[in-house]
Amino acid sequence: MQNPAVAQTYLTVSFKDKDAAKALGARWDGVQRQWYVPEGRELTPFAQWLPAGIEAVSASTSTALSSAQLQNGATTSGSNLALAGKKGVSLSSLLAGVSQAVAQAYRAGVWTLVEVVELRANGGHVFMGVSERDASGAVLAKTSAVIWQSTANTILPEFERATGAQLAPGIKLLVRARPVFKPLHGFSIEIDAIDPEYTLGDLEARKREIRERLQSEGVFAANKQLPSPRDFNAVLVVAPEGGAGLGDFQAEANRLEQFGVCRFTYVYSRFQGEGAAKEICDALQAALDAWLYAETGPPDAVVIIRGGGAVNDMAWLNDYDLARFICDLNIPVLTGIGHERDNTVLDEVANTRFDTPSKVAAGIEQVISRRTAEAKAHFEGIHNRARQLVQSVKADTVAMESSIRSEGLRHLSQGRLESFELINGIRLDAVQAVRAAAESSRETLQDVKAAAVTQLADAKREVPLAWGQITLGAGHAVQTAHALAGGLVDGVLDLTRRAVADARALSGTAMDTVGTSSRQRLRESKDRSEALIREIAGQGPDKTLKRGFALVRTQTGKPVTRAAQTTTGAALEIEFSDGKVNAIADKRI
């Protein structure tokens, strides 16, 4: 039997076990291209990879050491028998036995429910802290877990593609894990598979539970049943500070604010992580209290927005208290959370749901534009109606003046005719009376003549008086008609002049607004172009290296951009921001 403490022994390690062998202290020989146990180390921990014919320990120590064996001074090799009998086994031997026992008990992975507590990546490997909690949130168990790079490259893209979620603290997983105990690193579990259906089911179950609870309480559709804002003058916006979604929203909203069309007040809060939902409620309540204290009325709407992200990032918004807060709010809530495919409980209970933050701003602008178009149409209707009334009054005035003139002339003609008829009648009566007096009696001739003369004189006096009265009445009627027509014409002309002046002022304001908007758009385009030029000009190899990248070249200085351009054992030169190093290509690692 070979002495494990004095010989350098090469191991037969498979690719999947290389990390485990390395953790136990094995080293890689680049020339032999094989893992080996450094001189001076015991072989017991590496028993499963020893070549045939080499024994690591005696048969009595091939499994985990029991407490009885330790008390009796069990040994791990013939050369250490005396030492073990006096002082006990070495720590590495004890832990190696535990490692072997765990490995034999769990030769295959076990499907296990875990919740990710913390996560970090290093060299392509994913290291996590996982736990199990009861319904009250108390931790029942916790340990560390790892997904090795070769496995992570396979299962993580598939998991993200199936669920739309990314590994992050707070997410619950159904994983296939194998317990591993390593003398240098302690206990952990190695994950080689993740069931995406469980994660999707857990996220959907949480939304379903909140939805059913709100429906049973009768408030699920309360905010949705509020009338949508007919117009927007003041809006309260809740968003994560500095987020991309907020920037997209403000790109549209700032233009409305510049022209005084609508005013936006912003409130910032975390939108993911433990306690994010409560922070949103507190921030929104504080903002509404301050608003009602400073303003005469509530905002037209509350807008809740955030940019896109993984499904589990959005899942922090699936919170009962936050959803109930929105349901109880008597102000319409507009949501623009993530992308079109994303859906949260907040979207379901809100008054109006938009796909993205920018679409919320566009929706507000459409409502404002629609109200503006209606106001313009009403103004044009009033203007047209006023013009029609002016034309109608003009026509009525002309017709009235014509009617008054015609009626005056008719009365005058009728008065003249009646006067002529009266004179003729008097003359005829006088002649008849004279003839009758002459025929009836000469004695009464003088009386008749005297009477005729008297009647003729009376008639002459009455006719001019009647004629004067008729002429005076006709003149007064004509003057009254002229005065009434002049007053109506002056009022109509004054109303027309005011309508024309208002229309000219409105047209001038519209032209000024269009000019200001055009100049603003040109300035924004110029600023964006200059920023892009500065960004392009600021790129270069030195800055790229300083951001953590490296340049790989062959010994001849030719750049290497793909693994296929290298061969095993080829010499390479790697340039970092602070210097260069030489390396040997090894495709197996």
Side-chain angles (χ1 to χ4, degrees):
M1 179 174 64
Q2 181 177 344
N3 187 347
V6 297
Q8 178 171 295
T9 306
Y10 285 92
L11 306 173
T12 303
V13 181
S14 64
F15 181 77
K16 68 175 183 178
D17 291 336
K18 65 181 182 65
D19 294 307
K22 182 179 179 180
L24 292 173
R27 298 292 181 265
W28 174 256
D29 188 334
V31 178
Q32 295 289 337
R33 300 189 57 77
Q34 194 172 1
W35 292 93
Y36 66 91
V37 180
E39 185 176 351
R41 281 187 176 270
E42 293 186 358
L43 299 182
T44 302
F46 309 96
Q48 59 179 318
W49 303 301
L50 289 174
I54 299 179
E55 296 183 6
V57 295
S58 62
S60 62
T61 57
S62 60
T63 58
L65 298 175
S66 66
S67 60
Q69 288 174 313
L70 292 177
Q71 291 174 359
N72 295 330
T75 182
T76 61
S77 67
S79 62
N80 292 332
L81 181 60
L83 182 61
K86 292 182 179 181
K87 299 183 179 180
V89 299
S90 64
L91 177 62
S92 62
S93 298
L94 174 63
L95 297 183
V98 175
S99 176
Q100 291 294 325
V102 172
Q104 290 184 9
Y106 294 95
R107 295 181 179 275
V110 179
W111 286 103
T112 309
L113 298 175
V114 299
E115 178 180 350
V116 178
V117 178
E118 57 182 355
L119 180 143
R120 63 183 178 87
N122 186 10
H125 309 302
V126 179
F127 300 94
M128 297 182 291
V130 296
S131 69
E132 176 191 356
R133 292 191 289 183
D134 61 15
S136 65
V139 177
L140 302 178
K142 63 179 180 179
T143 187
S144 59
V146 62
I147 307 175
W148 300 116
Q149 179 184 12
S150 57
T151 304
N153 291 340
T154 302
I155 67 174
L156 292 187
E158 181 180 346
F159 174 78
E160 293 174 3
R161 189 166 46 249
T163 63
Q166 296 178 345
L167 294 188
I171 191 170
K172 294 183 178 179
L173 304 172
L174 175 59
V175 300
R176 188 172 64 196
R178 185 172 65 90
V180 176
F181 184 85
K182 299 178 181 180
L184 290 179
H185 301 286
F187 182 82
S188 66
I189 58 174
E190 294 181 353
I191 297 173
D192 61 9
I194 304 176
D195 183 1
E197 296 298 329
Y198 172 80
T199 301
L200 286 174
D202 177 68
L203 295 175
E204 187 57 36
R206 188 187 308 175
K207 290 198 297 185
R208 183 172 60 252
E209 179 183 354
I210 296 172
R211 187 187 302 118
E212 292 175 352
R213 183 176 177 184
L214 293 174
Q215 289 172 343
S216 66
E217 294 170 352
V219 298
F220 183 78
N223 195 269
K224 194 176 293 294
Q225 291 173 351
L226 295 175
S228 298
R230 189 176 182 276
D231 199 2
F232 290 95
N233 297 297
V235 176
L236 180 62
V237 182
V238 185
E241 187 171 8
L246 178 61
D248 294 340
F249 179 87
Q250 289 179 322
E252 301 293 333
N254 288 346
R255 184 162 47 84
L256 299 176
E257 203 160 21
Q258 284 177 350
F259 294 108
V261 177
C262 184
R263 178 168 55 87
F264 296 89
T265 300
Y266 295 92
V267 178
Y268 304 110
S269 172
R270 287 191 305 121
F271 267 55
Q272 64 187 67
E274 197 74 34
K278 185 178 185 304
E279 285 190 23
I280 295 174
C281 291
D282 293 343
L284 185 53
Q285 184 62 62
L288 289 173
D289 292 342
W291 184 293
L292 295 177
Y293 178 78
E295 305 288 342
T296 57
D300 298 309
V302 171
V303 172
I304 301 177
I305 55 175
R306 70 148 285 169
V311 171
N312 51 311
D313 291 341
M314 304 295 177
W316 294 106
L317 300 179
N318 294 325
D319 180 83
Y320 167 77
D321 292 330
L322 177 56
R324 181 59 192 258
F325 185 92
I326 299 304
C327 292
D328 293 339
L329 202 60
N330 60 354
I331 302 171
V333 176
L334 316 180
T335 59
I337 299 173
H339 301 294
E340 183 176 359
R341 67 178 183 274
D342 297 318
N343 182 63
T344 66
V345 174
L346 297 189
D347 294 315
E348 298 180 16
V349 302
N351 182 272
T352 307
R353 174 190 184 270
F354 293 88
D355 294 337
T356 62
S358 58
K359 288 186 178 181
V360 179
I364 293 175
E365 184 176 6
Q366 288 177 0
V367 172
I368 294 174
S369 299
R370 187 162 58 248
R371 294 295 170 259
T372 303
E374 291 177 359
K376 182 179 180 181
H378 291 160
F379 173 79
E380 291 177 351
I382 294 172
H383 177 70
N384 292 334
R385 180 59 179 164
R387 184 171 56 189
Q388 292 173 358
L389 288 175
V390 169
Q391 293 175 349
S392 177
V393 169
K394 284 183 178 179
D396 292 344
T397 302
V398 172
M400 186 179 295
E401 183 180 4
S402 176
S403 176
I404 292 172
R405 289 180 180 276
S406 176
E407 190 68 15
L409 292 175
R410 187 180 66 79
H411 280 291
L412 183 59
S413 298
Q414 185 177 358
R416 288 177 179 177
L417 181 60
E418 290 177 354
S419 297
F420 288 143
E421 290 177 353
L422 182 60
I423 292 173
N424 290 333
I426 293 172
R427 287 177 178 176
L428 180 61
D429 290 341
V431 171
Q432 290 177 351
V434 170
R435 286 179 180 177
E439 291 176 356
S440 38
S441 178
R442 288 183 177 273
E443 291 118 9
T444 60
L445 179 60
Q446 294 298 326
D447 296 334
V448 171
K449 288 182 178 181
V453 171
T454 301
Q455 290 180 3
L456 181 60
D458 292 339
K460 287 182 177 181
R461 286 195 302 272
E462 291 176 0
V463 167
L465 179 60
W467 175 259
Q469 291 177 349
I470 291 172
T471 303
L472 180 61
H476 181 70
V478 170
Q479 289 176 358
T480 302
H482 273 292
L484 178 62
L488 290 173
V489 170
D490 291 341
V492 169
L493 292 177
D494 185 57
L495 178 61
T496 302
R497 282 191 293 271
R498 287 198 300 271
V500 170
D502 293 341
R504 287 178 178 173
L506 182 62
S507 299
T509 302
M511 290 300 294
D512 292 341
T513 301
V514 171
T516 303
S517 177
S518 299
R519 288 191 294 272
Q520 180 64 23
R521 286 296 181 91
L522 288 174
R523 285 195 297 269
E524 291 176 354
S525 299
K526 180 180 177 183
D527 292 342
R528 286 196 293 268
S529 299
E530 291 177 353
L532 287 174
I533 291 173
R534 287 194 298 270
E535 182 177 353
I536 293 171
Q539 301 299 318
D542 293 339
K543 293 188 176 181
T544 302
L545 292 176
K546 289 180 180 179
R547 288 199 296 270
F549 294 91
L551 298 177
V552 181
R553 301 186 181 90
T554 64
Q555 289 296 318
T556 60
K558 182 179 180 180
V560 178
T561 60
R562 294 182 294 116
Q565 295 176 335
T566 65
T567 59
T568 301
L572 301 175
E573 179 186 79
I574 303 176
E575 181 180 351
F576 299 93
S577 62
D578 59 347
K580 302 178 180 178
V581 298
N582 294 324
I584 301 299
D586 184 0
K587 291 189 175 181
R588 294 182 56 192
I589 297 179

